[in-house]
Amino acid sequence: MMDYICCILGSFMMAFLLGSSFIHNLKKERKIGLSKKKLRSEALKRSANGKPRSDDTDPGGVDVIIVGAGVAGSALAYALGKDGRRVHVIERDLTQPDRMVGELLQPGGYLKLIELDLQDCVSGIDAQEVLGIVFYKDGRSVKLPFPLQNFPSNVCGRSFHNGCLIQNMRKKAASLPNVRFEEGTVTSLVTEKGIIKGVRYKTKAGQESTAYAHLTIASDGGFSNLRRSLCSSKVEITSRFIGFLIENCDLPHPNYGHVFLGDTPILFYSIATGEVRCMVNITGEKIPSISNGEMANYLKTEVAPQVPPELRDAFISTIDKGNLRSAINKSMPASPCPTPGGFLIGDALNMRHPFTGGGMTVAFSDVVVLRDLLRSLNDLSDPVAVCKYLESFYILRKPMACSINSVAGLLSKIFFAKDDPIMKEMGYVCFDYMGLGGIFGGGLMSILSGLFPRPLNVVLHIVALAVFAVGRSLLPCPSPKRLWAAARLLLVCGLFAQSLLILHTGYSSCGASSVAFPVLKAEGIRKTFFPWTLAAYYRVPPAY
């Protein structure tokens, strides 16, 4: 009982502290933002033609090496090349990728594409507009549009074949004279006295080669082999997606993603004219085998009954055709080890459950943040000073990254729980909460879409969800059983007194923060909510 009282009192105290810190943060950001802008503008004035200067002392004639030409790597290559940097991109395979992940770009990610001048890359690939998401559960549905009212008419989500987008970005980056793409497999980093000088790689012809640059950026995706040298994070495998394409199938709500929340969650979204991607979330360490037909049988017998009748025939007939594919869903918080001369970006740095389709939005946002920071540097010849300056990147990226990562983590934990009765009940609570619309369901969509990334809003939704869960449990008439159910739901929502107790002492009872707090803690409470307490928050470009 004391835990419950502490939890409730602590949550009010935490809400007060967060509110106070938010106001204090705004004041600090205004002052610090002005000083940073002034210093960066002065740095740009010292650069020729307002652009960063390339340093001709580089033995390889290159400012930046980018390992990996996926979504983040290609976008970064274009952004840096456009700013006058000499960029060498090394990619294992430059043919068009054929992947079933990275097919949904949230509206906030499209806004970042506009900032990068890459919005034309979604043209000519039969990309489909996405205006929102429809959630289904037990015969009920909640239609939640993206809050696009105050944005230009062309701003919305987009879904497409991932490889088409990547190829368009590669072509646009390669069109710049100072950006060079090369096919090769990077095997290791070149390090000298703790400073990364470049990479060793095998060329397409199989020859061993070495490339040097002042800054080496690893953007080699979720299976990065360079990550362990630049990051201390551990990858968590959360589930798997079994996916396939359904042809000539019309979804009930055109231009909307469809999420069916049953025992086995299912996602449907259109990625081209007449092509609908179906993704089935499978949890557990051991899943049915695709090769021997166990998976097809599982999908037809266990999953198909959960599919709406209007989609079921197409669902089953596509399974009978084969071509089932599997993708591992991973989660990994950003825990970089700042190393002079080296840097991580994209899925090599940070991953979240792909349930909400936020990966590319975070990646493009990170590219914008890194580009803006590097614009303030005349050259990159002092790796120690550059490394120290770029530590501010990990704070400046937090609003977008923490918001999207937290919502993806929370919703996937709540909706994808299979054997936990309390979490199943939380699934109903969250579904009803979204059904309220307005600042509740609409507020979640504003975060999920990347249009209004505010980590504090995530906390406020957690508190509101807890209050809603308690009220829902107690109505229509409180009873001892209902009071106990309300208390358990309150704790599962991860209110903050118990969470702080876990943080400081490691003690936990009743699984208090099993949902909310681990997600927020992984993102970094201090970096996210109290950034002005960190020295890196005040970093300015080094003087040359």
Side-chain angles (χ1 to χ4, degrees), residues 208-458:
E208 298 281 351
S209 187
T210 305
Y212 297 93
H214 292 311
L215 183 60
T216 299
I217 301 176
S219 180
D220 49 345
F223 294 93
S224 172
N225 66 337
L226 303 179
R227 180 191 294 131
R228 59 181 174 271
S229 303
L230 300 166
C231 177
S232 61
S233 294
K234 292 184 178 180
V235 177
E236 176 190 359
I237 296 177
T238 55
S239 62
R240 293 175 186 267
F241 270 147
I242 303 300
F244 47 90
L245 271 180
I246 303 177
E247 297 181 347
N248 302 318
C249 173
D250 295 324
L251 294 174
H253 298 273
N255 300 115
Y256 274 75
H258 294 63
V259 180
F260 297 91
L261 300 168
D263 291 335
T264 305
I266 313 165
L267 284 67
F268 290 90
Y269 52 92
S270 177
I271 62 171
T273 303
E275 293 184 339
V276 171
R277 173 68 72 191
C278 175
M279 305 281 267
V280 180
N281 188 78
I282 307 290
T283 56
E285 294 184 5
K286 188 176 181 180
I287 66 171
S289 171
I290 293 177
S291 59
N292 64 12
E294 289 180 0
M295 180 59 72
N297 183 61
Y298 173 81
L299 294 175
K300 287 192 290 185
T301 57
E302 301 294 330
V303 180
Q306 303 175 45
V307 178
E310 62 267 34
L311 299 173
R312 194 173 299 153
D313 289 342
F315 180 88
I316 293 174
S317 63
T318 304
I319 293 171
D320 289 335
K321 295 177 183 177
N323 296 323
L324 302 181
R325 303 176 67 178
S326 174
I328 299 174
N329 298 329
K330 300 179 180 180
S331 179
M332 185 188 73
S335 298
C337 301
T339 306
F343 205 78
L344 283 171
I345 200 168
D347 282 353
L349 170 68
N350 181 207
M351 291 181 283
R352 77 291 309 150
H353 197 288
F355 170 52
T356 60
M360 286 190 291
T361 299
V362 174
F364 292 141
S365 177
D366 284 355
V367 170
V368 170
V369 172
L370 183 57
R371 177 205 64 182
D372 291 346
L373 288 172
L374 291 178
R375 274 181 171 175
S376 304
L377 299 177
N378 290 317
D379 61 67
L380 307 173
S381 58
D382 186 344
V384 176
V386 171
C387 177
K388 189 175 182 180
Y389 168 60
L390 289 182
E391 286 179 12
S392 62
F393 167 84
Y394 304 108
I395 297 175
L396 297 176
R397 72 182 293 270
K398 280 299 174 183
M400 180 70 82
C402 178
S403 298
I404 288 183
N405 292 350
S406 299
V407 170
L410 289 170
L411 293 184
S412 62
K413 284 178 181 291
I414 289 173
F415 287 131
F416 293 177
K418 199 167 185 179
D419 301 319
D420 189 336
I422 299 179
M423 292 302 292
K424 281 190 175 183
E425 178 61 22
M426 276 304 303
Y428 286 102
V429 170
C430 192
F431 182 81
D432 289 344
Y433 178 85
M434 293 190 297
L436 297 175
I439 61 173
F440 305 104
L444 275 178
M445 290 300 289
S446 71
I447 301 171
L448 182 151
S449 65
L451 292 172
F452 299 99
R454 302 287 187 275
L456 185 60
N457 286 355
V458 178

